[in-house]
Amino acid sequence: MNRQKNWERLRQEEFDICIIGAGASGAGAALDAVLRGYSVALIDRSDFAGETSSRSTKLIHGGVRYLEQAIKKLDLAQLRQVRHGLAERRTVIRNAPHLAHPLAILTPVFSWFEGMYMTVGLTLYDFIAGHDAFPKGSWLNRAQALEKSPKLTQQMHSAVLYYDGQFNDARYALALAHSADEAGAAVVNYAAVTDFSREKGQLKTATVEDQLTGETVTIRASVFLNCTGPYADSIRLLANSELSPRIRPSKGVHIVLPRETLQSDYAILIPKTTDGRVVFAIPFGDKVFVGTTDNDYNDLAKEPVLESDEVDYLLETVRPYLAKVPVRADVQSGFGGIRPLIVSSRADTKTLLRDHEIEQDEASGLLSLLGGKWTTYRLMAQDAIDRVGEVLKKTVPGRTETHYLIGGEGYRFEDWETLQRQYSLPADVCQQLMKTYGSRAEQVAKLIVSQPELAQKLTDQQPYIRAEVIYQVREEMAVTLRDVLARRWRLELADWQLTAQITPQVADLMAAELNWSDAYRQEQVHNYQRLLTSFAKQAGIPSGQKKTVVTE
């Protein structure tokens, strides 16, 4: 992806569709649209998946909680969400097998009745999923459960095993945007819509400001599609100030603990919390993510961050399920995201529907894709582009169901051994390259042929090498430190201290590629490290504290 070339395309071309927002739904819509033959511009005021789409629980699921609510309340809308989610689960993994895979999840229970209740529900979950490639669940006795997850509490009666999907959300969204770019879309990050022009009330152009340089450009498009998730109302009101808000933002946070917290490849579902939520503890790389919460969030101008009381809540929630209880000092980082819940008459965000809706404002012509969730991003995008086709009076069927994303086609994880033989890189580096870049991993490895120093790891604690930063700048439109450390890699989400330590090295590599001045490089390092310190402070986790192991 070439940002400057695409910026010039925004200036020079007229598009069928301008998609605002490059998270899951926007990037998915861009790929869907360009594969149908439409001319497409995709812009975002920050990075690809810079907001909510990079801060999920990393699960691809039908929604166990939705199923329970559907049965208890005879709610067909909830049941439809489960069915759609389970159908799409298979497609999400199939199209990017390097970024998504099945995940085994254990639900500890404390009585025979509770075990039977969960078994019946999860058997129905498997039945709705049909004959897909996912293993079927089972009810395990305590010894069997402890064999799979040895850190679970001895107090449990048994555990119910089922399977859902796990994925790297930020890189999945990047793969969607990158795939759209290669198919012909003009894709630009850090490009914010500041105004619209109209003709007889209908939107004709958008004024877009480059958030890095301050330069502006006017985008001409037949249709403008708003895919900004929890921020959708700001674009809707910019297009038509008479509209009523449709989004009720809900904040969800996660804490990140050492892998030793579970010492297992099996995730844990905590089906019942003090306030009726569902919480997961999920292995992700060498960490465990625990979340999420669900609370109203009103200050959209501020980034949602992990707060001290939220740390306490999540630690307290996992306490009954583990033999050795993690403490505050074990928390290595955390992150927050905002769900784009559609406004409903229901009072509680935990019960608001997360299904999606395509809204068309007759006065301005703006289309808005509202609500939804990661698992069904492709269906959301398909519905939105179907509506775009109707507006354009040029309908074309979608083609995304069997379209491999960047790095997905021809992917075989075992090819890491070939990389190791050809480029003499460590095994953990080669495995990480395959899981991150898929069948394009060799493009990263090739960079070390002419510059052997790029084979060096940035830290002994992680398998990241210098060549990746160069590749991410040249091929993946990374332009800030956070693009690399929080999204192209997931280090910011995993370990604030380690991220701060390697930030100067990453800055040196980016500065050489992007022609940063020394003063600008120093400013970027200082600002990012200060941001990481503020995250730790707000979470009540001193950034300089010594890491501890999980204790009794």
Side-chain angles (χ1 to χ4, degrees):
M1 294 190 288
N2 186 305
R3 188 172 186 275
Q4 188 57 43
K5 178 182 176 182
N6 285 353
W7 179 260
E8 290 304 315
R9 286 186 61 194
L10 298 184
R11 185 194 312 279
Q12 295 169 9
E13 298 179 23
E14 183 167 351
F15 299 92
D16 292 323
I17 315 161
C18 175
I19 299 171
I20 306 164
S25 59
L31 178 60
D32 187 301
V34 76
L35 290 179
R36 299 193 201 200
Y38 301 126
S39 58
V40 179
L42 172 66
I43 58 174
D44 196 291
R45 68 177 184 179
S46 61
D47 189 25
F48 310 111
E51 304 288 350
T52 297
S53 292
S54 62
R55 302 174 189 181
S56 74
T57 307
K58 326 302 176 203
L59 287 179
I60 313 158
H61 62 95
V64 171
R65 189 180 75 189
Y66 304 148
L67 178 61
E68 185 177 28
Q69 291 178 357
I71 294 171
K72 283 183 175 179
K73 300 176 182 179
L74 299 178
D75 189 334
L76 293 179
Q78 296 274 17
L79 190 61
R80 185 174 64 248
Q81 284 194 81
V82 175
R83 190 176 69 251
H84 287 167
L86 289 172
E88 285 301 297
R89 189 177 65 171
R90 176 176 59 251
T91 302
V92 170
I93 293 176
R94 182 260 177 207
N95 290 349
H98 57 306
L99 300 175
H101 56 85
L103 175 71
I105 303 174
L106 287 168
T107 304
V109 295
F110 295 88
S111 70
W112 180 90
F113 177 80
E114 191 180 3
M116 178 58 70
Y117 178 80
M118 292 298 301
T119 300
V120 170
L122 292 171
T123 299
L124 179 59
Y125 193 68
D126 284 341
F127 176 77
I128 296 171
H131 299 289
D132 59 15
F134 281 70
K136 300 305 178 185
S138 58
W139 189 0
L140 309 178
N141 63 37
R142 181 168 57 191
Q144 291 170 323
L146 289 171
E147 183 181 353
K148 296 181 183 303
S149 189
K151 294 299 183 77
L152 289 177
T153 177
Q154 296 277 348
Q155 304 303 313
M156 66 180 172
H157 171 273
S158 52
V160 181
L161 170 67
Y162 78 103
Y163 291 81
D164 256 329
Q166 182 176 44
F167 76 135
N168 185 331
D169 53 6
R171 287 208 66 92
Y172 208 103
L174 174 66
L176 288 167
H178 199 164
S179 299
D181 177 279
E182 289 203 351
V187 177
V188 181
N189 55 1
Y190 296 98
V193 174
T194 59
D195 201 2
F196 290 108
S197 73
R198 299 159 183 80
E199 186 176 299
K200 296 181 180 178
Q202 298 290 294
L203 303 182
K204 288 300 176 185
T205 70
T207 302
V208 175
E209 181 180 11
D210 188 325
Q211 301 298 284
L212 305 177
T213 67
E215 184 182 359
T216 61
V217 70
T218 298
I219 298 180
R220 294 163 292 162
S222 300
V223 178
F224 290 89
L225 175 60
N226 173 18
C227 294
T228 54
Y231 309 95
D233 283 336
S234 64
I235 297 297
R236 294 173 66 248
L237 292 170
L238 189 64
N240 180 358
S241 60
E242 301 299 316
L243 292 173
S244 299
R246 291 296 316 282
I247 298 298
R248 182 173 170 183
S250 168
K251 178 187 178 186
V253 300
H254 297 76
I255 57 173
V256 179
L257 298 165
R259 177 80 176 203
E260 293 75 26
T261 305
L262 294 183
Q263 202 172 313
S264 171
D265 291 331
Y266 288 72
I268 298 174
L269 164 64
I270 298 173
K272 187 169 56 179
T273 63
T274 55
D275 51 1
R277 295 170 181 156
V278 169
V279 168
F280 290 91
I282 299 176
F284 192 90
D286 64 345
K287 307 296 180 185
V288 171
F289 291 175
V290 179
T292 181
T293 56
D294 201 341
N295 297 296
D296 281 334
Y297 192 73
N298 298 316
D299 194 351
L300 292 180
K302 288 185 179 179
E303 176 176 348
V305 297
L306 178 66
E307 304 282 353
S308 181
D309 62 330
E310 294 166 331
V311 174
D312 292 336
Y313 168 80
L314 289 172
L315 288 174
E316 192 61 31
T317 297
V318 300
R319 179 180 298 274
Y321 293 83
L322 298 176
K324 293 186 176 181
V325 180
V327 296
R328 178 176 288 271
D330 297 314
V331 178
Q332 297 181 342
S333 66
F335 56 96
I338 309 174
R339 301 179 188 87
L341 305 185
I342 302 175
V343 164
S344 163
S345 59
R346 304 181 189 188
D348 192 336
T349 60
K350 294 189 295 296
T351 62
L352 289 183
L353 280 181
R354 296 179 188 184
D355 215 349
H356 66 277
E357 176 185 331
I358 315 300
E359 177 195 69
Q360 183 170 5
D361 174 35
E362 298 295 340
S364 68
L366 178 72
L367 291 178
S368 294
L369 175 48
L370 306 175
K373 63 179 183 179
W374 242 119
T375 304
T376 53
Y377 86 87
R378 195 192 65 83
L379 290 182
M380 294 158 57
Q382 183 173 277
D383 288 350
I385 302 306
D386 283 347
R387 182 70 65 85
V388 168
E390 293 171 6
V391 174
L392 294 173
K393 295 181 171 56
K394 185 170 62 175
T395 58
V396 181
R399 296 170 43 201
T400 54
E401 186 171 6
T402 57
H403 185 83
Y404 283 107
L405 304 186
I406 294 293
E409 189 168 12
Y411 168 74
R412 298 188 323 140
F413 175 67
E414 54 269 29
D415 286 345
W416 71 265
E417 296 174 332
T418 304
L419 273 186
Q420 187 179 36
R421 286 195 300 271
Q422 291 182 344
Y423 297 95
S424 301
L425 289 166
D428 62 337
V429 169
C430 295
Q431 291 170 7
Q432 193 272 143
L433 290 177
M434 290 303 300
K435 290 179 180 178
T436 304
Y437 308 96
S439 56
R440 299 201 172 189
E442 189 174 7
Q443 293 186 16
V444 183
K446 281 180 178 178
L447 294 172
I448 73 173
V449 175
S450 58
Q451 294 178 272
E453 69 276 10
L454 294 181
Q456 296 174 12
K457 289 185 180 181
L458 287 158
T459 170
D460 290 337
Q461 298 177 51
Q462 294 288 345
Y464 305 135
I465 60 173
R466 295 170 179 267
E468 292 181 76
V469 180
I470 306 304
Y471 181 85
Q472 290 164 8
V473 171
R474 292 179 184 175
E475 303 294 336
E476 296 182 342
M477 215 178 281
V479 292
T480 74
L481 292 169
R482 213 171 177 195
D483 293 348
V484 171
L485 288 160
R487 289 176 287 274
R488 306 305 184 279
W489 293 329
R490 309 315 312 276
L491 193 58
E492 180 193 301
L493 272 64
D495 193 320
W496 287 328
Q497 282 192 51
L498 185 58
T499 302
Q501 289 170 15
I502 73 168
T503 292
Q505 296 179 65
V506 174
D508 288 343
L509 292 163
M510 296 187 74
E513 285 294 309
L514 296 169
N515 298 314
W516 290 353
S517 67
D518 287 342
Y520 184 80
R521 188 201 71 81
Q522 291 176 18
E523 178 187 17
Q524 296 306 300
V525 171
H526 173 73
N527 289 345
Y528 189 38
Q529 290 179 331
R530 186 172 61 181
L531 180 69
L532 294 169
T533 300
S534 75
F535 289 161
K537 193 172 185 180
Q538 286 173 277
I541 305 164
S543 58
Q545 74 180 19
K546 182 180 182 295
K547 294 291 194 309
T548 63
V549 297
V550 178
T551 55
E552 293 284 1

